[in-house]
Amino acid sequence: MDNSAIKLAVIGYPVTYSLSPLLHNHWIAERGILAQYEMLKISKGTLKQAIPKLIAKGYRGFNITIPYKQDIMNFCERIDDTARHIGAVNTVLIKDGKLYGSNTDTFGFTESLKQSGASFAKNHALVLGAGGAARAVTYGLKQMGFKKITIVNRTLEKAQEMAQDFGVEFNTWEHREIAAKNVDVVVNTTSLGMTGQTALEFDVRQLPGHCVVCDIVYKPLYTKLLSDARDRGLQTVTGLGMLVHQARLSFLNWFDIMPDDSDVLQHKLQHEIEEHAKKAAAKNVEGAA
Ligand code: ATR
């Protein structure tokens, strides 16, 4: 890397695959900025030691992924309101040797829903899952003005805790389809349906005809939930929008520039996702042989 280039990265463990470098390096190139975004593995238990090294090397900032989204908060000089509500930081700006944490996932989700062109009332939303992504989505739905939000989760205590934190309702995982009666928007925030994971069992026939169905999973682009919903003629929103829009806000944090989503970028991402899926499938076949 050119020594004078602005350094950025996604940090986590293991960070074997991330679309963040593609996104940020696309915008960096588009704007002709001398910068480079890379993936950095930070072994378990070494975050504390890694931070001064990143500062010393002159990093302007970084994204944080599993397992450090909560841990990083202990090292931030300041944390924005969204990150505090969600309880996780996904973006850090380094300024004068200090870390400023924020969370861009809520913006990513709300912007994706708005830009999808889907039309919906804001009476009732159902959130499947109660992890970090669910917290970002629920916070966004609240900001959008949904009157009622219901959380359902496999581990009931986590749904209960989230419901209390956000002042929303909860139900059991087993009752997810019953809870979906009359909802305007349903969002899958669990990892179910992702390539290599089991599919989410959800009978979309239980959803009202006006319901918008969102999945934050983008690998595959159309999960079983989304393709079932599409087959039923429901409006669908893939996880790719959230991925792009959260990255746009991170980029703004670092460069004071809000980059655009574009057809070129969408094609690049979809191509990359397809190529990665092909490679993973070939590896599985190889492994099975
Ligand atoms: P993230 O930060 O990406 O949201 P997470 O905090 O690990 O990741 O949350 C994953 C979510 O997927 C949780 O709601 C989890 O349910 P539990 O709280 O019961 O673990 C949900 N999830 C994962 N595997 C699941 C499965 N097989 N069935 C139902 N829910 C599942």
Side-chain angles (χ1 to χ4, degrees):
M1 197 194 298
D2 183 329
N3 270 340
S4 58
I6 296 166
K7 297 185 194 73
L8 295 156
V10 51
I11 67 163
Y13 191 82
V15 272
T16 45
Y17 184 68
S18 166
L19 287 169
S20 294
L22 185 155
L23 278 162
H24 290 290
N25 288 323
H26 171 86
W27 290 320
I28 285 167
E30 193 179 62
R31 302 276 170 166
I33 303 170
L34 187 59
Q36 176 101 38
Y37 186 107
E38 59 191 348
M39 290 199 289
L40 281 182
K41 263 184 210 159
I42 305 225
S43 314
K44 281 223 168 108
T46 64
L47 182 65
K48 194 177 175 180
Q49 295 90 306
I51 289 167
K53 286 185 197 157
L54 292 172
I55 296 172
K57 283 185 182 166
Y59 274 79
R60 179 171 290 185
F62 48 86
N63 285 126
I64 307 102
T65 186
I66 293 165
Y68 300 125
K69 283 189 176 190
Q70 279 90 31
D71 297 353
I72 194 72
M73 296 172 88
N74 300 319
F75 305 101
C76 291
E77 178 77 8
R78 221 183 305 140
I79 290 164
D80 79 354
D81 278 352
T82 308
R84 203 170 315 112
H85 275 96
I86 297 171
V89 159
N90 78 336
T91 304
V92 162
L93 168 71
I94 304 177
K95 218 171 150 187
D96 302 326
K98 294 200 167 81
L99 272 52
Y100 295 87
S102 58
N103 195 307
T104 65
D105 284 336
T106 294
F107 173 83
F109 171 70
T110 55
E111 200 63 10
S112 160
L113 190 49
K114 283 180 206 159
Q115 304 241 321
S116 69
S119 51
F120 50 89
K122 292 174 185 167
N123 292 318
H124 189 191
L126 175 68
V127 177
L128 307 174
R135 294 179 77 89
V137 165
T138 302
Y139 190 55
L141 291 166
K142 282 208 84 173
Q143 281 181 340
M144 287 178 91
F146 274 83
K147 292 194 189 108
K148 180 177 167 185
I149 300 168
T150 307
I151 316 287
V152 294
N153 193 50
R154 177 180 60 177
T155 310
L156 187 63
E157 296 75 47
K158 275 171 72 183
Q160 221 164 347
E161 192 186 320
M162 247 195 83
Q164 199 166 5
D165 288 352
F166 289 95
V168 298
E169 307 198 2
F170 69 95
N171 208 328
T172 62
W173 183 244
E174 292 68 30
H175 284 162
R176 60 192 179 278
E177 283 152 6
I178 296 168
K181 238 182 168 190
N182 299 324
V183 289
D184 302 300
V185 172
V186 56
V187 191
N188 174 44
T189 74
T190 73
S191 45
L192 294 172
M194 197 185 281
T195 308
Q197 303 267 347
T198 46
L200 166 67
E201 279 181 40
F202 193 98
D203 185 354
V204 297
R205 287 172 305 182
Q206 306 303 321
L207 294 168
H210 66 265
C211 184
V212 180
V213 182
C214 314
D215 207 323
I216 71 156
V217 170
Y218 53 81
K219 238 182 351 166
L221 202 52
Y222 276 86
T223 56
K224 182 169 185 307
L225 173 71
L226 289 190
S227 55
D228 285 355
R230 194 171 53 174
D231 290 348
R232 235 208 86 187
L234 303 178
Q235 302 177 87
T236 56
V237 181
T238 73
L240 207 52
M242 180 168 172
L243 175 82
V244 173
H245 293 298
Q246 62 77 28
R248 289 176 63 223
L249 192 59
S250 293
F251 197 89
L252 178 72
N253 260 276
W254 300 320
F255 295 106
D256 267 333
I257 295 167
M258 184 60 119
D260 299 319
D261 188 6
S262 64
D263 288 346
V264 175
L265 182 59
Q266 287 286 329
H267 284 137
K268 256 192 190 179
L269 286 166
Q270 283 175 29
H271 177 75
E272 173 59 30
I273 291 168
E274 280 159 21
E275 286 303 301
H276 186 257
K278 270 188 221 159
K279 272 185 213 153
K283 227 178 187 181
N284 278 342
V285 171
E286 243 172 60

